Each structure stands twice: as C-alpha cells, then as structure tokens.
Amino acid sequence: MPVLRDLADDITKAVGIKELDVEPMARSASNMTMLLRGGGQVFFAKIYTDADLNALDANLRYDREKEILSRRWPVPMPTMVYSADVERVIVTREVPGHGFKHYMDDGRTHEALGLMARWIAGFHGSAEPQPRDETLWDHFRQYDELESNAAFAALQPMLSAMPLREFVLTKGDCSAANFKFGENGAIGLDFEGVAFRAKEFDMISLIRGLSGLSGESIEAMTDTVVQQYASVRAIDDPDGTKAAVNAIVKITDY
C-alpha cells in the first residue's frame, strides 16, 4: 500500500514496533482498512478516500473521526495511536472482543441490542445537547432517503405531534458491524458520521437491517433498544419514541 509504505517510519515509531506486516482487511468506495501486525500486537489503519461520489468529503470524515478519537469519552472507544492529516490515515489498536453475530448465533440478540443501546445513550450524554424547538417530522424530512420514500408522508401526523427539544451528539452509523463486545459491554467503532441530530437517528440506525438477519421482530427490538437506552439516559416520552422509531425502521428496513 503506497500510502502506508510512505508513512512506515512514522507509524512504527508511534507504535514502538520496528516492523509491521500489512494485510488488506476491508475496502469500500470511501475507505480502505489495513491490518497491521507486529510484536504480538494488532493495529488497524483506516485510509479515507474520495472515490465514492455519494459519500461525504473524505477530509470531513477524517476530521470527524480524528476529533472523536483524540478525546476521552465515558464510553469505550478504540485507542488511536497515530494519524496523518495530509494522507488521511488513522491507526488504532485492535479492539478485542466478540462481534454481533456471536450473540445472535447464541440466541442473545436482545442482549447485544441492549449493550449497544446503553453505549449509544452514554455517547449521547457525553456532550452538551443543543436546544431545539421543532418536531421529529421537521427533523427527519430533511433526509433525502425519507423525503423520497412515499410511505414516509403517512407518518407526518404522528411525527408532527412529537416535539424535538434537543439535538444530541449522535454516532451516525450504528450498524451492528460497527460495535465489538468485551467484558465491559459494547465498544463503538467508526465515527466518521458523527453529528448533532435527534437521538432517534441512532436508534433507527441500530435496528434497521437486523430483523431479516436475526429473525427478531422490529417491534421487539425497538422495545429493547428504547428500554435499555432509557436505563442510562432518561427519555421524556418512551412510548412515543418507540412508536416513531418502529414506524421509521419499518419503512426503511429494505
């Protein structure tokens, strides 16, 4: 990998290992992730690219993730050991633990959902919320995916009746693949989509796509996520939150 080869000296100095083996791990239109091994340790190098014209600017995604990983948080995070601004490379230590599939295969899908929901609640509570005076309809109609969805219009009466009093710092992409599970609960991964939004945004992102994968109903998963979230961070209207999250997941769970 040319970028990592050019940065090899700086990276090995940062991690304190003289030689690292590099293996490709994952590649998408917007990022590449490489596995670095050496000295009995494992690291991940994430390289942000502009190949995906539909993705946010690579510099913005890199800056967001670096900002998050550069600070201490009350919820478990990966440890960043190196970053290169010009090349847009972030190196983090391996996060040991199980993936979501481990829990699903053991029939413990709701346990994993609860761990992720509590992590999300802790993350939402880690930054000062931004006051808002609008409704969930006002907020969610700004997203092209929903605005262009014919079924979304039918949700206007319900979502318009739900006040939105604050934006919280949301993770952005809460898919199950972006969490690991260790002895102390869930560990969030991937922060390039971080932004201030309604709390429901992350709940929807967490549940969407898991019904077909796990065989669990959207209603049951929503109930678990809202209950476990509320055990960490209070929700003014849990029933209304469940209704909104359940409805939006159902029309976007392709």
Side-chain angles (χ1 to χ4, degrees):
M1 184 73 209
V3 172
L4 295 185
R5 188 163 54 243
D6 293 343
L7 297 172
D9 288 343
D10 291 339
I11 293 174
T12 55
K13 287 177 183 176
V15 302
I17 298 172
K18 291 183 179 180
E19 186 173 338
L20 293 167
D21 293 327
V22 180
E23 305 171 26
M25 180 182 175
R27 181 169 189 154
S28 69
S30 55
N31 299 317
M32 289 181 286
T33 304
M34 312 298 289
L35 195 64
L36 311 180
R37 298 179 185 271
Q41 300 183 58
V42 179
F43 307 87
F44 296 100
K46 187 174 181 179
I47 304 163
Y48 304 73
T49 73
D50 271 324
D52 187 353
L53 298 179
N54 295 316
L56 291 173
D57 176 76
N59 289 309
L60 175 60
R61 291 184 284 110
Y62 167 81
D63 288 342
R64 283 180 174 180
E65 189 139 27
K66 181 183 175 182
E67 171 65 19
I68 294 297
L69 295 179
S70 297
R71 297 168 53 188
R72 287 186 173 274
W73 299 88
V75 289
M77 298 268 194
T79 301
M80 183 174 69
V81 295
Y82 175 80
S83 64
D85 294 345
V86 174
E87 295 84 358
R88 295 189 304 252
V89 175
I90 288 178
V91 178
T92 56
R93 289 189 181 278
E94 178 190 26
V95 176
H98 296 294
F100 180 81
K101 191 174 184 300
H102 169 82
Y103 283 80
M104 189 178 69
D105 290 345
D106 280 356
R108 299 159 63 197
T109 295
H110 285 271
E111 180 181 345
L113 282 171
L115 293 172
M116 291 188 285
R118 291 198 291 272
W119 186 97
I120 290 168
F123 187 65
H124 288 182
S126 65
E128 189 70 24
Q130 296 180 348
R132 306 295 295 183
D133 185 14
E134 54 187 279
T135 68
L136 283 184
W137 173 258
D138 297 325
H139 180 60
F140 281 106
R141 67 182 301 187
Q142 70 179 293
Y143 298 107
D144 292 340
E145 177 190 3
L146 290 173
E147 188 64 16
S148 61
N149 187 330
F152 180 61
L155 303 182
Q156 181 174 2
M158 177 184 66
L159 297 179
S160 294
M162 295 194 64
L164 177 56
R165 301 301 186 202
E166 64 178 16
F167 274 0
V168 297
L169 184 65
T170 59
K171 182 178 181 297
D173 184 350
C174 293
S175 62
N178 285 331
F179 286 89
K180 292 288 287 289
F181 302 88
E183 294 181 356
N184 297 317
I187 304 108
L189 314 172
D190 191 346
F191 298 94
E192 59 186 79
V194 164
F196 278 91
R197 307 178 180 96
K199 67 181 182 301
E200 289 83 359
F201 186 98
D202 275 351
M203 295 180 184
I204 293 164
S205 174
L206 172 58
I207 300 167
R208 189 165 59 185
L210 291 184
S211 182
L213 181 67
S214 67
E216 301 288 343
S217 72
I218 291 172
E219 290 89 348
M221 291 191 294
T222 300
D223 189 64
T224 293
V225 166
V226 173
Q227 283 190 20
Q228 292 301 313
Y229 182 103
S231 71
V232 174
R233 188 174 187 268
I235 297 176
D236 291 338
D237 182 6
D239 290 338
T241 299
K242 289 179 187 178
V245 170
N246 183 62
I248 294 177
V249 170
K250 281 187 173 180
I251 66 170
T252 58
D253 195 52
Y254 307 124

